[in-house]
Amino acid sequence: YFLPGNLGGLYGQLQQSLGEGVDANKQSSGRIGYAAGPVNVAFSYGVTDTSPNKFKHTNVAGSWNFGFMNLMAQYDLTKAGSVDQKAMLLGAVVPLGQGEIHAAYTKSKIDNPTGADPDANQLAFGYIYNLSKRTALYGHYSQIKNKNGAAFVVGAIAGSSALNAKSTGYEVGVRHSF
C-alpha cells in the first residue's frame, strides 16, 4: 500500500508478503517520511521470519538541500538472531556546472556476542557529467578498510573476500535513458 501523494509532503508505504505456504519467510515492512522544500526525512522498519529467528531491519535517514550542496545522513540497524550490524553514512552531492560531485563516508560495525566485533570504514567519491538530459558520463572510486575479522568488499562480488584487508573498486561509464 502506498499513501496518496496529496498529503502535504507526507509519504509512506506498507508491504506484507506471505511465506509461500510455510510459516517461515513471512515479511512485513513499512516506511514513513516527510519531504517538503529542502528537507526529506524517513523512517523504515521491516521484519522477516527466518524461523527460528527473525531478521529485523530499521533505518532512519534524512537529507537537506542547501542549494549549493545536498547533505545526507543515514543510520541503519540490522538484527539477525543475537547479531547486530550498525551502519552510519554521511554523504554529499555538490552540483558543479553540468556535473555533480558525489562523496560518502560509511562506518559499519557488527556486534557479535560469540567473538570479535568486525568493523569497516568506506570512502566513496564520484563525478557525473551530464552530456544531455538523458546521457551522462560517470566515474566512481571506493575503498573499504576492514578490521577485526570484517570482510566487506566493494561491489560484493560472489566468492570474494577482503578479510582484515582493503577492498578497492573503480568504475567509469556512460549512462543513457530512453
Side-chain angles (χ1 to χ4, degrees):
Y1 172 79
F2 287 89
L3 285 176
N6 59 351
L7 298 176
L10 186 68
Y11 61 89
Q13 59 230 50
L14 294 172
Q15 178 178 310
Q16 175 74 46
S17 61
L18 303 177
E20 302 266 340
V22 295
D23 288 337
N25 300 324
K26 292 179 185 175
Q27 189 273 342
S28 302
S29 60
R31 183 175 134 199
I32 188 86
Y34 177 77
V39 177
N40 188 349
V41 294
F43 171 81
S44 68
Y45 180 76
V47 177
T48 302
D49 183 355
T50 57
S51 197
N53 296 314
K54 292 187 186 286
F55 178 82
K56 299 177 183 179
H57 191 188
T58 306
N59 181 294
V60 61
S63 68
W64 188 285
N65 191 337
F66 291 94
F68 67 93
M69 171 178 63
N70 191 5
L71 188 61
M72 46 204 107
Q74 177 183 29
Y75 177 78
D76 191 85
L77 174 62
T78 303
K79 293 179 171 260
S82 61
V83 178
D84 296 350
Q85 179 178 352
K86 299 171 186 160
M88 296 170 283
L89 173 133
L90 290 173
V93 175
V94 180
L96 189 63
Q98 283 184 238
E100 297 177 334
I101 296 171
H102 294 220
Y105 170 77
T106 305
K107 169 89 175 148
S108 180
K109 183 169 182 159
I110 298 173
D111 293 326
N112 186 350
T114 62
D117 293 337
D119 67 280
N121 300 315
Q122 179 179 22
L123 280 174
F125 300 98
Y127 182 71
I128 299 173
Y129 183 79
N130 296 301
L131 297 171
S132 68
K133 288 183 180 181
R134 299 182 341 183
T135 305
L137 302 174
Y138 63 86
H140 297 100
Y141 166 83
S142 179
Q143 184 176 77
I144 298 173
K145 292 182 182 176
N146 291 298
K147 297 180 279 185
N148 298 332
F152 296 104
V153 293
V154 175
I157 300 167
S160 62
S161 176
L163 184 64
N164 293 322
K166 292 180 184 176
S167 174
T168 303
Y170 310 86
E171 70 176 358
V172 293
V174 178
R175 181 188 72 220
H176 181 75
S177 4
F178 293 96

